[in-house]
Amino acid sequence: MYLTREEERGYEGEFGWANKICMKILVRLGELFDATKLVPISSAHVSGVSYKTLGDAPVEFLEALSAAGGKANVRATLNPQGFDAEYLSQKLDADLRRKQLNILKQFEKMGFKQSLTCTPYYLEEPLKDSHLAWAESSAVVYANSVLGAWTNREGGPSALAAAIIGKTPDYGVHKPENRQPKVSIMLETLLQNEMEFGALGNYLGRILEDRIPIIHGLKGCSREDLKQLGAALASTGMVNMFHLHSASMRTEKLEKIAIEDKDIKRSIENLSTASESKPDLIFIGCPHCSLNEIKEIARMMDGRKIKSGKEVWICTSRFVKEKVKNDAQKIEKAGAHVITDTCAVVTWTEKLGIKTIMTNSAKTAYYAPTLNKAETILAPLKECLNTALEG
Ligand code: F3S
């Protein structure tokens, strides 16, 4: 791998241990994937921030890095942590809170923004064709496919190293030739709602392996629908992006795979594991809700009440919640909780006695049985809210 004189000096330790160890991580990664050089990035996004998913071992590395003066060299954001400051933190024990806050403190010392969201693109949208080093898989697919930015699916340590160096190795989808579609997906059914977009993503992730698809036949979809598709695609597969059909893209020679209504239905059935439809928690906001989603939920809940004993979480970022304060208040007046900084998957739902989760997110429905030991009910937003609301 070619390194500039400056990069070589960093690699040899001239700029301190933190810089050196980060250069070593990036060069090792680059060598593994035959990168030829490092490319400058405009932002880094680190996952594995929740103590629930991180555990104890990596914290020592974080502490060492921040003690050695490691500092983010580009805009650097963080994925959700294990709880929010208002609602869930009061329900969890002091030891968990202390350990989680220590993780945040280390990141803060290194100059990471306390964004605590899996949708960093709602805070600041990356420019088309800009290189990024993002580690949240749903955000990676969204950035590549919807926003036209360029990022591999980083692991927590490589995103952290990229944030500190401000560069990433140029392999994978940082190269134009690796962004080309390899297979045509012919959608032969009309998707009805955001949940079905997630079900499509879940199905595609399972059949595509690492082949980038171009999808034909998606009509009238919103960016939120594509967010669901990408999040589910990344959870079951290795693909980091998809293309939507466009007249300028030649696809005649690609293998074609037809997706029918029965494929979507089977995905939904597989993602609903609960034997009866009595959820302990109704969870919306995986990935974190956009402004539009919060407004839509507020409209659907306005003047209505959550049934007594029902627990409803609407998860988003602090940034979005602040922008739609009035709508968030309407949702909370109805009896639901608009929760920031975390989500049902990365908090300790088991400790809260939650055994069945109803959600409109195929990604949550895929992970909850293992990460939350919970049964799942996958249903569209409208059905989730109607289950929660009186009348
Ligand atoms: Fe975000 Fe949690 Fe889903 S981190 S993508 S809401 S699993």
Side-chain angles (χ1 to χ4, degrees):
M1 215 172 134
Y2 168 78
L3 296 184
T4 63
R5 181 72 199 104
E6 177 95 349
E7 288 163 358
E8 260 175 20
R9 290 170 64 198
Y11 188 84
E12 295 304 332
E14 256 189 65
F15 307 134
W17 179 81
N19 193 286
K20 176 178 171 173
I21 194 81
C22 290
M23 276 301 294
K24 298 241 167 202
I25 291 172
L26 296 182
V27 169
R28 181 84 194 103
L29 185 67
E31 283 171 352
L32 267 178
F33 290 98
D34 291 328
T36 53
K37 61 180 193 297
L38 296 176
V39 285
I41 52 170
S42 57
S43 66
H45 180 76
V46 170
S47 65
V49 175
S50 166
Y51 174 61
K52 176 183 163 185
T53 51
L54 191 67
D56 288 308
V59 177
E60 277 180 32
F61 177 63
L62 275 182
E63 287 171 341
L65 210 54
S66 75
K71 285 270 178 292
N73 208 10
V74 288
R75 177 183 168 79
T77 46
L78 296 175
N79 232 25
Q81 59 163 337
F83 49 77
D84 67 329
E86 286 117 38
Y87 184 58
L88 295 174
S89 67
Q90 292 157 19
K91 295 175 179 276
L92 295 165
D93 66 60
D95 192 46
L96 284 181
R97 285 206 305 268
R98 189 178 52 74
K99 286 177 170 159
Q100 178 65 76
L101 292 175
N102 178 42
I103 293 170
L104 288 195
K105 191 169 113 200
Q106 305 311 321
F107 279 118
E108 198 170 12
K109 271 165 75 181
M110 291 190 280
F112 283 72
K113 289 188 188 315
Q114 306 281 299
S115 55
L116 302 172
T117 181
C118 46
T119 55
Y121 42 84
Y122 291 149
L123 279 57
E124 186 176 307
E125 201 170 291
L127 293 177
K128 191 169 179 301
D129 299 336
S130 58
H131 292 273
L132 320 171
W134 285 12
E136 161 56 41
S137 66
S138 66
V140 166
V141 177
Y142 192 90
N144 282 316
S145 317
V146 180
L147 305 176
W150 303 37
T151 174
N152 285 323
R153 188 187 306 193
E154 302 291 343
S158 66
L160 176 57
I164 287 175
I165 301 299
K167 294 177 181 174
T168 193
D170 74 333
Y171 69 95
V173 295
H174 289 288
K175 298 198 162 188
E177 62 271 28
N178 295 335
R179 299 175 67 87
Q180 298 308 310
K182 292 280 182 293
V183 55
S184 270
I185 299 299
M186 318 305 287
L187 193 63
E188 295 182 351
T189 178
L190 203 60
L191 301 181
Q192 305 291 337
N193 50 54
E194 79 293 344
M195 176 205 63
E196 294 197 352
F197 277 79
L200 170 66
N202 173 279
Y203 183 82
L204 291 179
R206 284 185 280 120
I207 62 167
L208 287 174
E209 295 162 358
D210 59 354
R211 295 173 300 169
I212 295 175
I214 176 161
I215 308 175
H216 303 258
L218 271 186
K219 299 207 179 79
C221 50
S222 65
R223 282 188 161 196
E224 283 80 3
D225 292 331
L226 297 178
K227 176 175 74 169
Q228 288 299 330
L229 194 166
L233 176 73
S235 47
T236 48
M238 291 310 297
V239 187
N240 289 335
M241 63 181 295
F242 60 83
H243 296 277
L244 295 182
H245 167 72
S246 85
S248 61
M249 215 167 242
R250 309 303 302 265
T251 59
E252 301 85 1
K253 292 193 178 143
L254 297 181
E255 178 196 349
K256 293 186 175 48
I257 299 177
I259 307 290
E260 300 172 30
D261 192 46
K262 66 173 174 31
D263 301 319
I264 305 295
K265 295 245 158 58
R266 203 174 318 126
S267 253
I268 296 168
E269 275 165 30
N270 290 341
L271 289 166
S272 301
T273 61
S275 44
E276 52 176 325
S277 64
K278 283 203 182 130
D280 301 314
L281 170 68
I282 293 160
F283 165 49
I284 307 296
C286 171
H288 275 175
C289 285
S290 66
L291 295 171
N292 285 342
E293 286 171 312
I294 295 283
K295 285 182 180 175
E296 171 71 359
I297 294 165
R299 194 188 57 71
M300 291 164 86
M301 284 195 172
D302 198 12
R304 298 175 74 188
K305 278 272 170 244
I306 300 288
K307 287 175 198 158
S308 123
K310 283 263 176 274
E311 182 80 3
V312 181
W313 299 355
I314 311 293
C315 289
T316 187
S317 60
R318 297 173 189 184
F319 176 84
V320 166
K321 186 174 180 182
E322 182 59 31
K323 290 238 162 192
V324 284
K325 247 191 218 154
N326 289 345
D327 296 287
Q329 275 165 7
K330 278 183 199 161
I331 295 171
E332 284 173 340
K333 209 168 152 204
H337 302 277
V338 180
I339 294 178
T340 64
D341 305 350
T342 189
C343 78
V345 176
V346 302
T347 193
W348 291 267
T349 48
E350 265 183 287
K351 291 186 191 297
L352 304 173
I354 292 164
K355 294 193 177 67
T356 307
I357 299 176
M358 183 180 207
T359 180
N360 65 342
S361 162
K363 174 171 179 174
T364 289
Y366 177 75
Y367 281 120
T370 44
L371 292 180
N372 303 78
K373 308 274 178 299
E375 293 199 287
T376 52
I377 304 161
L378 181 65
L381 173 66
K382 204 168 162 191
E383 199 178 318
C384 290
L385 294 187
N386 282 342
T387 303
L389 289 161
E390 284 176 347

